[in-house]
Amino acid sequence: LFLSLKLEKKTKGKLQKQICQVVLDHFEKQYTAELGDAWSSVRDALTSPRCWQHALLLNRFSAGRGLEGGLAERGWRPALTAALPCLPAAFRCYLSAAPRRFPSQKHRPGRLKEYYLLNAASLLPVLALEVKDGEDVLDLCAAPGGKSVAILQCACPGHFHCNEYDDLRSRWLEQTMESFIPDALMNLITVSKLDGRQIGDLRPEFYDKVLVDAPCSNDRSWLFSGDPQQAVLRLTRRKELSSLQLQLLRSAIKALRPGGTLVYSTCTLSKAENSDVINLILSSCRNMMPVDLSEMARGVSQEFTFLGGMQQHELLVLPQKGRAWGPMYVAKLKKISST
């Protein structure tokens, strides 16, 4: 017992040392102003990695029922089982009440993985997109590929375009797709390395559904930046991200067919990269209309904590101890005309 407590104390100390004080101070000031009283419990969850939870998204192309039985025996339970209008029958996700991580599977060429480990909140943009069989779909900023894999658990698109501009992340995306998607389905998928800001001009009004999971100031990883100088540089450049996000969204809108749906998401709490970006789009693009997400929010409210006072077309998942999912911002828009 003494040894166990000693190791626990040592581990806790190590985790505490990893927190980047420069980033925490910055977040303390910004998020106290933006989130008010909610920031205190969010901060406690974000700065305590041992309370973080992981979800298992089962791969319908390989996962057998035996795996599901074993999960139940180990204390994992089906999640997102509410009668959501956007929940496909093949979509199977499991959560553990305890903050523990399931062992990851290694990439093995020619053999599909049975499950994808992820933050459960990252599934919300995919469910909001409501992809149907036969639709043409674009995942504009797709790496590392979790949301692309999740989209393919929901439906079989007519054509699925996964794009990632960064070369290293693009290779990661390709490996993810190879690990989860059978060769027969890969014929319907294009993986590209295009600048997402140019896709709208290259393929105008080509897609029924577009997901923009935008580059953002990733609050979880930034808090544990190992290099304080890199952290300061990131914080200095943080304001530039909203400009990039706006450019990506405008490109996505051009690429979207009239009547099509766009979902925008980030993994930051920052209002400048979330609500402010979407408000600018809605005020400047008269052909885009907000789509109500409140029904979906009610359907998953037993799993997630949402920030109150948001508009009906947006959600912000707040990490809390016991339901340490997020941060995840989701907004849903519809294109009503070409101009």
Side-chain angles (χ1 to χ4, degrees), residues 285-304:
C285 302
R286 300 298 181 184
N287 60 338
M288 298 301 293
M289 296 292 291
V291 178
D292 193 345
L293 286 173
S294 55
E295 185 179 356
M296 187 180 92
R298 283 192 295 272
V300 298
S301 60
Q302 73 278 15
E303 309 288 5
F304 305 106

Side-chain angles (χ1 to χ4, degrees), residues 59 239 314:
N59 185 8
K239 293 178 182 178
E314 57 180 357

Side-chain angles (χ1 to χ4, degrees), residues 111-305:
R111 185 167 179 179
L112 298 181
K113 293 184 179 181
E114 293 186 305
Y115 53 84
Y116 193 100
L117 293 169
L118 77 176
N119 184 319
S122 65
L123 295 171
L124 295 179
V126 173
L127 294 176
L129 200 61
E130 296 188 73
V131 175
K132 304 290 191 300
D133 287 347
E135 290 182 324
D136 295 321
V137 182
L138 169 64
D139 188 350
L140 191 69
C141 312
K147 293 182 181 66
S148 294
V149 168
I151 285 170
L152 291 166
Q153 305 305 311
C154 297
C156 182
H159 178 71
F160 189 22
H161 183 178
C162 305
N163 182 71
E164 177 55 52
Y165 183 51
D166 182 84
D167 191 56
L168 184 63
R169 288 173 60 83
S170 181
R171 290 199 295 274
W172 189 2
L173 170 63
E174 288 175 352
Q175 188 177 90
T176 298
M177 300 304 280
E178 184 186 332
S179 291
F180 285 90
I181 310 305
D183 290 341
L185 196 55
M186 287 299 293
N187 294 331
L188 305 174
I189 299 170
T190 299
V191 179
S192 68
K193 294 191 287 186
L194 299 169
D195 185 334
R197 295 169 293 186
Q198 299 174 357
I199 285 181
D201 291 325
L202 294 171
R203 296 188 177 175
E205 299 191 351
F206 191 86
Y207 303 98
D208 301 296
K209 303 282 172 70
V210 179
L211 173 62
V212 182
D213 186 45
C216 67
S217 49
N218 185 322
D219 294 348
R220 278 189 188 239
S221 66
W222 281 27
L223 266 172
F224 292 86
S225 300
D227 183 350
Q229 287 183 319
Q230 184 190 45
V232 170
L233 187 62
R234 279 174 168 173
L235 292 172
T236 303
R237 294 178 175 174
R238 196 177 193 196
K239 293 178 182 178
E240 299 170 13
L241 284 166
S242 58
S243 175
L244 172 61
Q245 291 154 353
L246 281 165
Q247 292 175 68
L248 290 169
L249 275 169
R250 291 197 171 102
S251 175
I253 290 165
K254 287 182 182 178
L256 191 64
R257 289 173 181 148
T261 299
L262 184 152
V263 169
Y264 173 75
S265 61
T266 74
C267 53
T268 181
L269 298 161
S270 175
K271 184 173 176 286
E273 298 174 53
N274 295 338
S275 298
D276 289 356
V277 168
I278 291 298
N279 288 340
L280 274 168
I281 286 294
L282 287 172
S283 64
S284 60
C285 302
R286 300 298 181 184
N287 60 338
M288 298 301 293
M289 296 292 291
V291 178
D292 193 345
L293 286 173
S294 55
E295 185 179 356
M296 187 180 92
R298 283 192 295 272
V300 298
S301 60
Q302 73 278 15
E303 309 288 5
F304 305 106
T305 300

